[in-house]
Amino acid sequence: MIERMRRRGELVMLLLAGAVVAGAYVVATLGRTASVPADIGPFLVLVLVLFAGAHIAIRKLAPGADGTLLPLAVLLNGVGYVFIARLREDLAAKQAGWIFLGLVAFVVTLAVVRRPRDLERYRYIALFVGVGLVMVPLVPVLGQTINGARIWIRLGPAQFQPGEFAKLFLALFFAAYLVEKRELLALASWPRRRPILPDPKHLGPVLVAWGIAVVVITAERDLGTALLFFALFIVLLWVATGRAGYLLVGAGSFALAAFASWTLFSHVQDRVTNWINPWADPLGGGYQIIQGWYALADGGVAGQGLGLGLSGAPPGCDPAQGACDGRLPEAQNDFIFAVIGEELGLIGSAAVIAAFVLLVGTGLRIAASQEGAFEKLLATGLTTLLGVQTLIILGGVTRLLPLTGVALPFVSYGGTSVVANYVLLALLVRLSDDAHQRRQRKARRVGALAGAG
């Protein structure tokens, strides 16, 4: 009964999300060409087929899962696609292809991972794969430097960002390892005379994994992912041991690492300088931040209207003939939220943030519903990745944090990010269904015992 209600609710929310996305697509096109797009029919069919396939997969493979995860992701992904198509028409087909691959990865993950607890056995494989993926961009020939960051690899005509998948493997390793050592890590046994910390040998593998990842990522100039891994490590350590002191130690370690990075690396100094005072170089390092502010300010409360902002390509601009950037270069990546604020205003921006808050809240609710320690930590880690990555990029756009160049999950342009986030979503769906099935089995056993008594 509960399963049918959840799936019906999910279907209704998916239809509403599809209607919102299709309506936004039409309005955005009207803003550019003042005519209804001729491809609206095929576009609607494509949207419905893709997301209906994911819904059917959940009905078959995880019928007891939470019913809000997929609709929220679909809404964010659909809104992101509309803005990417509005900003760069030449990238719309590529993004549609990546969304298709993401949904395929979503279904495959649900089909392959039938018991989340089984993943715990592969913790060291996850460690080696995760660290390996982080290091791949440093390999000559394979690694590609784009916009100053060496975080891409090229295989034939395709480019990938392996760090997006590395975060999933490292979250799995941290969760599995901390479950095994959490009691030892909760005890202060070092130094012997006045113990204040756990024995370093128990914390060593996690510190080594995190340290390698952060050092390599710093060498690749990917500060956003380094910050993301740091937050993942500290949050899981805190949840596993229940010791709030780890948060204080983590904050202090982060402050020291940030100061050391600022001292040693010129690109970190540039990021911090542009963050503190972007007006010092308004046509250089501070240009994107300043234009992002103008975009958000121009949006006001209700926005300029879809397709009517100044951040995207001018109407009729052909990317094949040259650059088609508006006043906000590369807006489809780091600064897509600024364009949303410009064209949908405070109301639209708040709606997008509310969708992320609901998504993260659902992930934390799934974590709280888990009975097993590994499942609880894994759900917490996956949700932390989603929430902290969103906070980092929104903080960069609004100048709450230095700009670090990570993608806004499900919204920004980027194939690897879309596929990795759909795998993350599938794992949360599986964890949610697993907790539901456990509760159902427990209720049946209690009912059987009561009947026998």
Side-chain angles (χ1 to χ4, degrees), residues 63-242:
D66 188 281
T68 57
L69 284 173
L70 183 62
L72 287 168
V74 163
L75 179 64
L76 290 168
N77 203 188
V79 169
Y81 175 80
V82 169
F83 274 88
I84 291 167
R86 172 260 179 278
L87 292 167
R88 291 281 303 271
E89 291 182 55
D90 56 317
L91 297 180
K94 291 182 181 177
Q95 186 70 359
W98 284 115
I99 293 173
F100 172 75
L101 287 179
L103 289 169
V104 170
F106 176 86
V107 176
V108 170
T109 304
L110 280 181
V112 173
V113 182
R114 307 307 289 262
R115 279 169 37 99
R117 184 166 294 180
D118 292 343
L119 296 174
E120 188 178 357
R121 291 181 294 175
Y122 304 108
R123 52 185 173 276
Y124 289 108
I125 294 176
L127 169 64
F128 289 121
V129 173
V131 173
L133 287 172
V134 168
M135 298 178 70
V136 166
L138 294 179
V139 176
V141 181
L142 277 180
Q144 302 285 313
T145 300
I146 299 176
N147 294 330
R150 193 180 176 85
I151 57 177
W152 297 87
I153 61 170
R154 176 176 288 280
L155 294 174
Q159 283 183 327
F160 304 93
Q161 194 174 348
E164 289 287 342
F165 288 102
K167 65 186 184 184
L168 302 180
F169 286 102
L170 290 178
L172 171 58
F173 167 70
F174 287 153
Y177 185 82
L178 290 174
V179 165
E180 183 184 351
K181 301 290 184 181
R182 67 184 189 280
E183 293 179 356
L184 295 172
L185 292 173
L187 293 175
S189 58
W190 185 86
R192 288 187 177 181
R193 287 192 174 182
R194 187 172 295 177
I196 56 174
L197 294 172
D199 193 326
K201 71 180 180 183
H202 301 309
L203 205 54
V206 185
L207 284 173
V208 169
W210 170 76
I212 291 174
V214 170
V215 168
V216 171
I217 289 168
T218 303
E220 295 169 355
R221 300 190 173 195
D222 187 9
L223 301 179
T225 304
L227 180 58
L228 187 61
F229 285 168
F230 188 86
L232 171 69
F233 170 64
I234 293 300
V235 168
L236 287 186
L237 198 54
W238 170 50
V239 173
T241 62

Side-chain angles (χ1 to χ4, degrees), residues 3 51 71 73 128 134 153 159 163 235 244 253 257 270-271 292 331 399:
E3 295 174 356
F51 297 136
F128 289 121
V134 168
I153 61 170
Q159 283 183 327
V235 168
S253 302
D270 292 340
R271 292 287 178 105
R399 204 176 152 231

Side-chain angles (χ1 to χ4, degrees), residues 10 19 192 256 258 309 381 405:
E10 182 181 79
R192 288 187 177 181
L256 287 175

